[in-house]
Amino acid sequence: MFGYIRPEKDELKIREYELYKSVYCGLCRHLGKDYGVHNGRCTVNPLKKCKFCDGDGESFRMAGAVSVIMTHYKLVDTVQDSGFFKRNLARLLNVFLKRSFRKAKQAFPQIEDQCRLMMERQREAEDSDSGIDRSAHPTAEMLSFLCQSLSEDAMQKQVLGSFGYQLGRWIYLMDAADDLEKDIKKGQFNPFRKSARETPDKMMLYCNDVLNMTVSQLILAYNLLDLTSYKEILDNIVCHGLSFEQKYHLFVKKKEKTCRKKHRRKKTDFFDYLQNGDKR
């Protein structure tokens, strides 16, 4: 779900993009070994040199714990909802993750409590075939809790809570909109199904309107934050990246797949196809 939170690369300066990558490399190294500021070898690809971001140790530990805990509960959810092969693969992966999950739970018990509570409430909402607001509420509350923990200032806590709530809501609804067509075909729960429109295109336009309203509230809260680090990158993600991902997953991705199927044996420019269509 968190994969939707990305910057729009074309709007980033080179130094900003390098800094953005260094944060992820620092988190990756922390998850595997340790972290720090230096040029070194990539944890995933030892033949590649990377820049690792220097950051507050607690921030990286918290981000790593959230990654591990959320992965655990995502696998638990997959076991409950998926078919035979995916269910058993998720069980196997969770066995390998068990030790890391215990460490993360011990280090950040409140975060684990919030994630477990979110999954329980999410399951209740889905089992009762809830609508958009109730379905998005558990994820929104969990992100609100995580964001509030980033500051000790009372006013900033309140703003961060509002920002986190809207971001969590957007993430959940973005994922639901992206999976809508698949969920309808498989007869699975999706909060947008109750608001079905005449055609898939109109349904995507409706999803887009709901997501746009959430983004507008998110930006209002974001503009009240007192940011001192990574502001240019965060500006890009919030003001450009979210809408870019939204447009791609709701309107472009399906056309991209169609383009690749129709022209899989030809060198066809995808963006030219989107602009001009298939005129054969």
Side-chain angles (χ1 to χ4, degrees):
M1 293 171 71
F2 292 99
Y4 297 114
I5 306 177
R6 299 177 182 177
E8 186 177 352
K9 282 179 58 177
D10 292 343
E11 296 293 329
L12 284 176
K13 297 176 182 177
I14 294 176
R15 63 176 175 80
E16 292 171 349
Y17 182 60
E18 288 297 319
L19 179 59
Y20 170 76
K21 289 196 301 180
S22 75
V23 173
Y24 272 91
C25 288
L27 177 58
C28 181
R29 170 153 288 200
H30 172 72
L31 284 168
K33 298 177 183 178
D34 204 349
Y35 68 93
V37 178
H38 57 280
N39 288 321
R41 298 290 176 179
C42 175
T43 303
V44 177
N45 182 5
L47 298 178
K48 180 182 176 183
K49 287 187 176 181
C50 299
K51 292 184 182 296
F52 297 98
C53 183
D54 185 17
D56 175 64
E58 188 67 14
S59 297
F60 273 84
R61 281 193 292 272
M62 177 180 170
V66 170
S67 298
V68 170
I69 292 168
M70 289 300 298
T71 300
H72 164 77
Y73 281 112
K74 174 63 178 175
L75 291 171
V76 170
D77 188 59
T78 301
V79 170
Q80 293 177 334
D81 289 341
S82 300
F84 177 80
F85 291 106
K86 281 189 176 181
R87 181 169 64 245
N88 284 287
L89 177 60
R91 282 179 176 146
L92 178 63
L93 292 173
N94 226 353
V95 170
F96 290 108
L97 189 68
K98 191 173 183 179
R99 184 167 175 267
S100 297
F101 171 69
R102 285 177 177 172
K103 285 186 176 181
K105 179 180 179 179
Q106 184 177 5
F108 294 90
Q110 289 184 320
I111 291 178
E112 193 277 331
D113 284 342
Q114 287 295 318
C115 291
R116 177 169 41 79
L117 184 62
M118 177 202 73
M119 295 302 296
E120 291 173 359
R121 290 178 175 174
Q122 196 69 66
R123 176 65 55 183
E124 291 173 1
E126 294 180 3
D127 287 346
S128 60
D129 198 23
S130 302
I132 291 170
D133 292 335
R134 186 185 172 193
S135 297
H137 184 66
T139 305
E141 273 203 324
M142 191 270 290
L143 259 292
S144 178
F145 169 82
L146 291 178
C147 287
Q148 286 182 67
S149 67
L150 298 176
S151 176
E152 296 298 326
D153 181 80
M155 288 296 295
Q156 284 296 292
K157 267 186 174 292
Q158 186 175 354
V159 176
L160 281 165
S162 178
F163 171 78
Y165 187 91
Q166 297 301 330
L167 180 61
R169 175 184 167 90
W170 184 87
I171 291 171
Y172 178 84
L173 294 179
M174 182 68 247
D175 189 52
D178 193 14
D179 289 343
L180 179 58
E181 187 174 346
K182 178 188 71 176
D183 289 340
I184 290 175
K185 286 181 179 178
K186 292 184 176 181
Q188 295 178 335
F189 170 82
N190 191 294
F192 285 112
R193 289 187 65 176
K194 286 190 172 184
S195 307
R197 297 297 190 267
E198 296 86 355
T199 65
D201 288 342
K202 288 184 178 180
M203 192 67 237
M204 286 298 102
L205 287 172
Y206 173 75
C207 293
N208 191 57
D209 288 342
V210 173
L211 287 162
N212 282 342
M213 286 189 288
T214 303
V215 170
S216 66
Q217 295 298 313
L218 186 154
I219 292 175
L220 285 175
Y222 176 78
N223 288 334
L224 296 175
L225 291 174
D226 183 18
L227 299 173
T228 57
S229 302
Y230 310 111
K231 187 176 188 307
E232 294 85 358
I233 299 173
L234 292 171
D235 286 349
N236 179 293
I237 293 172
V238 172
C239 300
H240 300 287
L242 298 184
S243 59
F244 182 86
E245 290 293 310
Q246 193 173 306
K247 179 179 179 181
Y248 173 75
H249 287 280
L250 268 60
F251 303 111
V252 176
K253 188 168 70 172
K254 187 176 179 180
K255 293 181 180 180
E256 183 179 16
K257 289 181 180 178
T258 302
C259 174
R260 287 174 177 170
K261 282 183 180 180
K262 288 187 176 182
H263 304 280
R264 60 184 176 272
R265 295 183 180 176
K266 297 181 180 180
K267 291 183 178 179
T268 303
D269 181 61
F270 167 59
F271 291 101
D272 180 64
Y273 172 82
L274 285 184
Q275 290 178 354
N276 302 314
D278 189 352
K279 295 182 178 179
R280 291 180 301 169

